[in-house]
Amino acid sequence: MSVLLIAGSPSARSRSQALLDSVGHRLQRRGAQVGSVLVRDLTPRALLLADVSEVSIAAAAEQVAQASAIVVATPVYKAAYSGLLKVFLDLLPQTALKGKTVLPLATGGSPHHMLALDYTLRPVLQSLAARHILPGVYATDAQITVTPEGAYQVNPEISDRLDDAVGLLLAEAYERSSAHADFEAIPFAQVRCSV
């Protein structure tokens, strides 16, 4: 199974990147093939001008298309996910997440922004036809601390939630991919009911 990690932070060193890295390590330990898209490394001009034919943008969109599941991480700014992530998601085809299980992750300065996952990010992921969006993991600055060496460290509570989220992501993605192999879709017009 291939899982694509999408980093929506404009900073290379950030708490949301620490969450994403932590999920990536957990996925690899459980045998998943993990790839990543660092939106901040895509060509800025192409992002802003919506040039989907530009090499880095086209390659990132192809990675999204090929992945079985997606993990999206973003910092929360002004009660919403990052503008950088928004620009990238806007460039994807309308059905870019069709058939995929998605795990959203976010970080913010306080617990007051926790609902940004449900009220700002989830609707956009839904509009991209995600099959299943898992409950997100939100962490505050106090839950991802900086070590004396300058690295980010996820606290035990968030670490446990990430363990659960990764387990659910793998189970859901596997279940949904194997369900498609067993049954063909039935058009609604052919469904017969009796009451």
Side-chain angles (χ1 to χ4, degrees), residues 32-56:
Q33 178 185 354
V34 177
S36 65
V37 169
L38 306 174
V39 181
R40 68 183 163 272
D41 290 345
L42 301 178
T43 306
R45 182 175 173 81
L47 275 173
L48 293 176
L49 296 177
D51 182 0
V52 295
S53 64
E54 192 275 332
V55 175
S56 70

Side-chain angles (χ1 to χ4, degrees), residues 12-150:
R13 292 189 65 250
S14 68
R15 286 176 169 84
S16 63
Q17 185 66 54
L19 273 185
L20 197 60
D21 291 343
S22 190
V23 166
H25 295 310
R26 285 168 167 77
L27 287 165
Q28 288 173 332
R29 283 195 308 258
R30 295 179 88 171
Q33 178 185 354
V34 177
S36 65
V37 169
L38 306 174
V39 181
R40 68 183 163 272
D41 290 345
L42 301 178
T43 306
R45 182 175 173 81
L47 275 173
L48 293 176
L49 296 177
D51 182 0
V52 295
S53 64
E54 192 275 332
V55 175
S56 70
I57 305 296
E62 182 59 25
Q63 284 182 275
V64 171
Q66 295 302 317
S68 306
I70 305 286
V71 181
V72 179
T74 180
V76 173
Y77 299 123
K78 296 184 170 78
Y81 58 97
S82 75
L84 182 65
L85 180 59
K86 173 69 170 150
V87 170
F88 177 68
L89 294 176
D90 284 349
L91 296 181
L92 295 176
Q94 195 64 42
T95 57
L97 301 180
K98 185 174 183 176
K100 300 180 192 313
T101 300
V102 181
L103 172 61
L105 308 172
T107 58
S110 77
H112 302 298
H113 297 295
M114 181 184 334
L115 294 177
L117 279 172
D118 290 329
Y119 290 108
T120 64
L121 185 55
R122 185 174 293 271
V124 174
L125 298 173
Q126 197 83 39
S127 76
L128 291 170
R131 173 169 293 283
H132 187 59
I133 304 169
L134 300 175
V137 176
Y138 178 86
T140 64
D141 289 355
Q143 293 172 314
I144 303 174
T145 56
V146 181
T147 66
E149 298 79 29

